Amino acid sequence: MTLLFSAARFLSMKKRFLFTPGPTPLPERVMEALGRPIINHRSQDFKDLLGKVRDQLKKVFQTKNEVIILTTSGTGAMEGALSSSLKKTDRVLVVNAGKFGERFEKLSKALGLETDVIQIEWGKSVTPAQIEAKLDKKYAALCIQASETSTGTLHPIEAISKVLQKKSPETLLIVDGITAVGAMNIPADEWKIDILISGSQKAFMLPPGLAFASISEKALEKMKSSDIPKFYLDFQREHKSILENQTAFTPAISLVVALHEALTMLLDEGLPLVFSRHEKLAESSRAALKALGLTLASEAPSVACTAAFLPNSINGKTFLKNIRDKYGFTIAGGQDEWEGKAIRLSHLGYYTAFDLMNAIAAMGRELNREGIKSDTAKALSVFMDTYDL
Ligand SMILES: *Cc1c(COP(=O)(O)O)cnc(C)c1O
């Protein structure tokens, strides 16, 4: 019998790996928790669990205020943040520096709010001065990403918050921290973020399905006079529920059970270490991708994912498809104007240096197959030097 060999045949065992900035890989401990028998969400056991998760979430969000838990994707929390805290006649300022900034813009407009937009070139971040220049008008809320995942770019939230405190302290600061919370230092209270949003499938190392939002006293106060129609995504009602270690509706119970495991992992490691691990993986990935001959795409790179442009001759979609088919690695591509041109390598959540080195090796190899002189061995050694392995 002849042995039929092809690289793709390795994948017959279906070992696959996600390098996407959401969803991200699951730790074994989380997978085990997801498989436990279901418990009732109105039982004392669940209340006890939610009490623990509530305290843990406050630590991860670095807040004394409550963090509500919603069974929805991240976008649901973005929508609820606006519909729960604003009035129909309010004016909103949105920073649009990529797909997720655009989402805030569309959401705000869909809710019928008067929406002003600061349009930022992809790969760049907004400056505090650009925000300040807009504040002659009165805004009920400023909506911005901490980490714009579509371009792998950070916005300077702390400095922006200071500008708001100085020029427009009544404006709510609503931050989409979906690829920031649990990956980088973003202290909700210290930075006076009124609503800080995150989602389960990113740094929280869980499947998609849960979203979280911390709510400041100022935001809670504004919610009392909010008149935008809402029902499921009512932050005020969820806030009342979490005070009793409950959610308003049936939550994704298994995800909450697994959340407790994931938060325990993050807090056992310690947030400073979690943040420096993400920083180090990001720094090493940037160095290695540069060594492969790619061009980094962001002027203020995120700790969540590294966006880089492929050489012009490469069709990015085919390149990433080949890597997926041959290696079983799903690496995110560029979206919209960056589609087919950029890759986005995730290092957010449950990754080690060795995971990322696999992705870098695969990319180097496929670049060579496309006729690009790219030194995989050098890129890997640059990665290890930078990571200090
Ligand atoms: C993933 C992500 C979201 C949420 O997307 P969903 O698909 O609704 O979970 C929002 N903002 C940013 C910055 C993200 O990375």
Side-chain angles (χ1 to χ4, degrees), residues 21 73-76 78 100 103 145 147-149 176 178-179 201-202:
S73 87
T75 308
M78 293 166 75
F100 293 105
R103 190 164 301 179
Q145 275 60 44
S147 160
E148 171 54 73
T149 319
D176 165 1
I178 296 182
T179 53
Q201 77 274 30
K202 312 275 171 123

Side-chain angles (χ1 to χ4, degrees), residues 285-301:
S285 299
R286 290 196 296 273
L289 291 174
K290 257 173 38 188
L292 281 183
L294 304 196
T295 311
L296 299 184
S298 171
E299 65 165 26

Side-chain angles (χ1 to χ4, degrees), residues 36-108:
R36 288 183 208 159
I38 207 86
I39 56 173
N40 189 283
H41 61 293
R42 300 302 180 209
S43 65
Q44 192 56 45
D45 281 352
F46 190 76
K47 282 188 193 169
D48 292 346
L49 174 76
L50 211 59
K52 287 184 210 159
V53 166
R54 180 179 160 202
D55 286 341
Q56 289 178 313
L57 275 176
K58 288 182 188 185
K59 288 187 182 132
V60 172
F61 278 70
Q62 304 185 64
T63 180
K64 290 197 165 58
N65 299 318
E66 297 300 329
V67 180
I68 59 168
I69 302 173
L70 304 160
T71 294
T72 162
S73 87
T75 308
M78 293 166 75
E79 175 166 342
L82 297 183
S83 64
S84 297
S85 60
L86 299 178
K87 290 208 276 279
K88 289 175 190 165
T89 50
D90 277 340
R91 189 190 291 133
V92 173
L93 182 60
V94 172
V95 174
N96 179 348
K99 280 308 270 183
F100 293 105
E102 178 190 271
R103 190 164 301 179
F104 257 148
E105 177 183 344
K106 284 184 174 164
L107 237 166
S108 177

Side-chain angles (χ1 to χ4, degrees), residues 102-154:
E102 178 190 271
R103 190 164 301 179
F104 257 148
E105 177 183 344
K106 284 184 174 164
L107 237 166
S108 177
K109 288 178 175 167
L111 292 173
L113 293 158
E114 190 184 333
T115 308
D116 287 354
V117 179
I118 303 181
Q119 189 71 47
I120 303 290
E121 196 185 323
W122 277 41
K124 291 196 171 9
S125 57
V126 72
T127 65
Q130 283 172 300
I131 305 273
E132 189 161 4
K134 283 279 185 184
L135 295 180
D136 294 333
K137 273 199 207 166
K138 257 184 136 31
Y139 290 102
L142 166 64
C143 299
I144 184 169
Q145 275 60 44
S147 160
E148 171 54 73
T149 319
S150 62
T151 67
T153 301
L154 297 181

